[in-house]
Amino acid sequence: VYFDSFDADDGLFEFRGDGGYGQITRTIFQHGVGGNQTFAYYNGAGWNSFGDFNTGQWYHCAVVREGSGTNNVSVYRDGTRLGQCTDTGTFIEGNFIIGAGTNGAFEMDGNMDEIRVSDSARYSGSSCTVPTAAFENDANTLFLLHGDGTNGSQDFRDDNA
């Protein structure tokens, strides 16, 4: 992820039930807190903030949810686990929003590349190796988006074929 500028909040990803705002399930945001721009995860009950972002710099970001116990969500930035939180809620079928929040609010000003959603944990432990090549589709890939198009394009294709 690469931020050109910040607003108070910029949506990276949001998973929301079909019922709209009242059925928020999970959100990953850049969240303005006390003058800092933090990597924040909403677990359905409250916000968890990890690390800071700056503009004009690429970051590799990953959120891994594995199991249902305490601290089952790990948040990584540039290969380092920034922290963990607990999320035992159920993901419900609905909307998956990229680069914004509800109804297009909280639009991100920047770029994303290599977005993948998997049904298995891709990273574990206190650190991980930051990928240096495009993600490849495999049996655990549910959604795969390469950011190889024209800058500013809004035409995307899921490569999970």
Side-chain angles (χ1 to χ4, degrees), residues 150-161:
T150 304
N151 193 20
S153 172
Q154 295 181 357
D155 182 26
F156 304 103
R157 182 178 59 90
D158 180 5
D159 195 27
N160 181 28

Side-chain angles (χ1 to χ4, degrees), residues 60-129:
H60 173 261
C61 299
V63 175
V64 178
R65 178 179 160 171
E66 184 174 30
S68 59
T70 302
N71 288 331
N72 65 325
V73 175
S74 294
V75 176
Y76 295 88
R77 186 188 64 215
D78 293 335
T80 300
R81 184 172 62 201
L82 299 177
Q84 295 177 286
C85 63
T86 301
D87 185 348
T88 58
T90 302
F91 280 72
I92 60 175
E93 188 172 320
N95 298 318
F96 176 49
I97 303 166
I98 301 172
T102 307
N103 300 323
F106 310 112
E107 270 187 30
M108 178 196 162
D109 181 18
N111 298 289
M112 291 188 201
D113 190 17
E114 298 306 314
I115 300 167
R116 176 171 56 190
V117 177
S118 304
D119 64 3
S120 65
R122 299 286 180 168
Y123 309 108
S124 63
S126 62
S127 64
C128 65
T129 301

